Amino acid sequence: MTTDTTDSQWTAVLEDATAIAEEYQENGWDAVVLEPDAVSPVDGEERTGFDVAVSPDEYEFLERLIESSEVTVTTADVYYRPPENDTDPRIALAVERDDDTETAVFIPLKYDLDDSRAVFETALRAEELLLHVTTATPADDGWVSFSHDDPSLFLEESDVREWSQ
């Protein structure tokens, strides 16, 4: 269930991502802001974490950026927005960076906490949360993954205490 507050927070995250990316670009960085069609928890043999579905054009651009250049993401920032209430989706912005090549990928995320619980419990134990950017096109089976060694940055402190026990 989304509320007007959730929608306004999501819009604010997208606007913030664009504004921060523009600052990076003004400083000479290559910066791309993804606009996810969907963010879904995935917990399978092939991969675990979140699938972040973007348009085919965005995915192809990201894939070319990562695979055809010398980009190696080694740093990430996570900006988490606390929900207005416990039933609202969680909203975060992950900024994946390669400081050497001055490349940044901005990944806005909106996810349901109850649906994501198993993914977060696994991630907290493993100390790694993976974001898999993929295309929404069912025929495409590729993805570009980003790793976060502190999954707690995507949660409330109370969730971390409860789930990591």
Side-chain angles (χ1 to χ4, degrees):
M1 175 181 178
T2 59
T3 63
D4 289 340
T5 302
T6 301
D7 291 340
S8 66
Q9 284 187 332
W10 180 245
T11 300
V13 165
L14 294 174
E15 290 170 354
D16 289 348
T18 300
I20 297 167
E22 287 172 358
E23 289 177 23
Y24 273 69
Q25 290 167 343
E26 288 171 6
N27 289 311
W29 283 59
D30 289 326
V32 60
V33 178
L34 302 179
E35 293 187 29
D37 296 323
V39 176
S40 307
V42 61
D43 190 12
E45 287 182 30
E46 196 168 62
R47 65 183 183 266
T48 186
F50 281 103
D51 274 356
V52 182
V54 298
S55 72
D57 289 341
E58 281 184 315
Y59 178 76
E60 288 173 24
F61 179 80
L62 176 64
E63 188 177 45
R64 279 194 314 271
L65 178 70
I66 298 296
E67 292 181 359
S68 66
S69 63
E70 304 210 1
V71 174
T72 303
V73 173
T74 58
T75 306
D77 295 315
V78 176
Y79 303 95
Y80 174 80
R81 287 185 179 252
E84 291 288 318
N85 62 61
D86 289 341
T87 61
D88 284 345
R90 302 301 171 95
I91 296 174
L93 173 63
V95 182
E96 315 292 347
R97 294 194 334 255
D98 178 348
D99 294 336
D100 292 337
T101 63
E102 295 186 336
T103 303
V105 178
F106 292 75
I107 307 174
L109 304 163
K110 180 167 51 170
Y111 44 93
D112 182 84
L113 189 60
D114 290 335
D115 292 345
S116 306
R117 182 176 179 139
V119 166
F120 277 116
E121 287 176 335
T122 300
L124 288 166
R125 281 191 302 276
E127 296 181 349
E128 179 181 52
L129 176 66
L130 296 171
L131 304 180
H132 309 285
V133 178
T134 186
T135 180
T137 307
D140 188 3
D141 60 355
W143 63 85
V144 175
S145 297
F146 299 97
S147 174
H148 294 266
D149 60 4
D150 189 356
S152 69
L153 297 175
F154 295 86
L155 296 165
E156 290 292 308
E157 201 171 305
S158 59
D159 300 327
V160 175
R161 281 194 304 274
E162 178 183 341
W163 294 353
S164 59
Q165 295 178 6

